[in-house]
Amino acid sequence: MNLILLAPDELDGQRAVLADARRLKHLHDVHRARPGDELTVGVMNDRVGRATLVELDAHRAVFELGTLAAAPPPALPVHLVLALPRPRMLARTLEHVTALGVKRLTLLHTKRVEKSYWQSPELNIDKIHQHFLLGLEQARDTVWPEIELIKGFRPFIEQRLPALMKDHRGLVAHPGMPNACPRQVSEQTLLLVGPEGGFIDWEVEQLLEAGCEGIHLGARILRVETAVTALLSKLF
Amino acid sequence: MNLILLAPDELDGQRAVLADARRLKHLHDVHRARPGDELTVGVMNDRVGRATLVELDAHRAVFELGTLAAAPPPALPVHLVLALPRPRMLARTLEHVTALGVKRLTLLHTKRVEKSYWQSPELNIDKIHQHFLLGLEQARDTVWPEIELIKGFRPFIEQRLPALMKDHRGLVAHPGMPNACPRQVSEQTLLLVGPEGGFIDWEVEQLLEAGCEGIHLGARILRVETAVTALLSKLF
């Protein structure tokens, strides 16, 4: 928790009051915080600054806010479309990509996504939000990501992709594509990453026909969570 | 398991015989392999190619090797020095960096590494080797990484670093350093990454005095496993 992210209902003028067990425990056990300590705070979707802890007990923490003048770190210019990974991989990947600055995320069904993954409790919106929160706290960010779940590949291609391609450079990451992952891209990018086992040929064809460029990460086959971090780090 | 890594004692002329439970289970349950199937195999520290499964039962799998002519994927030109992460993070990080192609790894004690981490069962050499194996199988690599554990920062600076700096470009990744992480480096690189909480100032000074360049990953504070993948992906 490198930043304490304050929700609007936790603010009270120049004060903020936290009462949730997770953050109180973290303040006690990890920060070993005491009244008088200064910590980094940020207001949801807004500015970042310092705050002084004025009260801390088992039930609540009260902060006196300083001037919150700093902008959160810049977001990545990317819309990430991820074939739904298996649940444990999803959980970690959500935290990685949130910490890296992804703000627009689509989880997509493709042929090689196991259908049972769509029933996983990890897709509960509260669980997803918890991973977003941990990612933002880690990276000292305040800007909440948007997520959408699209449970069919064809509806995505027909109804969602054409609008996205209007204002994004589309990149489909897939082993064996002709071009290496580009570097230091600044334009708005739509990045599509397949499931464990990859997109099927027909899916790749559909994406290329829609105007996406095929890119690869070299001869090494990486796990989804490693590949996504590697792609975002090379691209931006 | 994108490649079956064959140890020398599993080879018998043009045949290979596996008898360990983990890989037999994977062949049964994940590959759903049957005699006649072709799979990718590689010989430890040697070539990669295809092999035909000729027998599979609960106790062993027998492969008939084709021509193993392909080189394993290129290694990264890096020696990675990692302040010892907490055990679960270590386990995942070892798999990520092995899959990414790191072949020389030092786990180092620094001031902010909790001493108890050095007693973790994750540091058992068999556990470490298991992570190497999973990383190599993932990335279709055959070349076994080297690892050393150095339990003191001062001995590292005094006895190990001078020799490493003779034939490496030293980079210390630390928030707040003046230069962004360089891109597409081809020279032999020594990359040093601090623990959760970072190097202490004195450690950074020692590394800079020894000739390392300080580099950063931007305003976002990343977890060690994310940061290491991001650094390796930007650098190479």
Side-chain angles (χ1 to χ4, degrees), chain A residues 2 73-75 92 95-96 98-101 138-139 141 183-184 219-223 225-226 229-230 233-234 236, chain B residues 2 73-75 92 95-96 98-101 138-139 141 183-184 219-223 225-226 229-230 233-234 236:
Chain A
N2 296 313
R92 291 203 299 268
E95 285 182 38
H96 294 314
T98 304
L100 288 164
Q138 171 66 44
D141 196 353
R183 305 265 189 161
Q184 291 181 280
R220 295 175 179 277
I221 314 286
L222 300 176
R223 291 165 68 172
E225 61 172 325
T226 322
T229 299
S233 303
K234 282 182 197 284
F236 305 110
Chain B
N2 296 312
R92 290 204 298 269
E95 285 183 37
H96 294 315
T98 304
L100 288 164
Q138 172 66 46
D141 196 356
R183 305 264 189 163
Q184 290 182 278
R220 296 176 179 277
I221 315 286
L222 301 176
R223 290 165 70 172
E225 62 171 324
T226 322
T229 299
S233 302
K234 281 182 196 285
F236 305 111

Side-chain angles (χ1 to χ4, degrees), chain B residues 139-205:
Chain B
R140 291 193 176 154
D141 196 356
T142 65
V143 181
W144 201 255
E146 291 167 26
I147 187 167
E148 63 181 352
L149 277 54
I150 302 187
K151 295 187 188 178
F153 186 79
R154 198 185 287 268
F156 171 75
I157 292 284
E158 289 172 2
Q159 294 157 32
R160 188 77 177 92
L161 188 58
L164 285 168
M165 289 301 289
K166 278 193 192 139
D167 50 8
H168 290 79
R169 175 181 178 184
L171 300 176
V172 50
H174 188 65
M177 289 286 108
N179 298 317
C181 177
R183 305 264 189 163
Q184 290 182 278
V185 167
S186 54
E187 65 220 283
Q188 287 293 328
T189 302
L190 177 73
L191 174 65
L192 299 113
V193 180
E196 218 84 12
F199 290 114
I200 62 170
D201 291 347
W202 179 82
E203 289 163 347
V204 174
E205 281 159 26

Side-chain angles (χ1 to χ4, degrees), chain B residues 35-112:
Chain B
D37 287 358
E38 269 209 352
L39 290 154
T40 300
V41 301
V43 174
M44 183 79 78
N45 293 319
D46 205 336
R47 301 267 149 175
V48 174
R50 303 285 280 176
T52 306
L53 185 64
V54 291
E55 267 185 63
L56 178 66
D57 62 28
H59 306 292
R60 64 178 213 159
V62 181
F63 289 92
E64 184 80 40
L65 304 181
T67 311
L68 306 188
L76 295 183
V78 70
H79 185 127
L80 176 63
V81 178
L82 200 59
L84 182 66
R86 64 189 145 87
R88 272 191 9 186
M89 182 90 75
L90 172 66
R92 290 204 298 269
T93 304
L94 289 175
E95 285 183 37
H96 294 315
V97 305
T98 304
L100 288 164
V102 170
K103 297 300 175 195
R104 287 162 293 142
L105 180 62
T106 301
L107 297 178
L108 180 64
H109 187 69
T110 72
K111 180 75 179 172
R112 293 207 181 110

Side-chain angles (χ1 to χ4, degrees), chain B residues 10 19 26 33 54 72 115 124 152 156 191 193 209 235:
Chain B
E10 291 170 332
H26 196 96
V54 291
K115 290 210 175 106
N124 184 308
F156 171 75
L191 174 65
V193 180
E209 266 176 36
L235 282 169

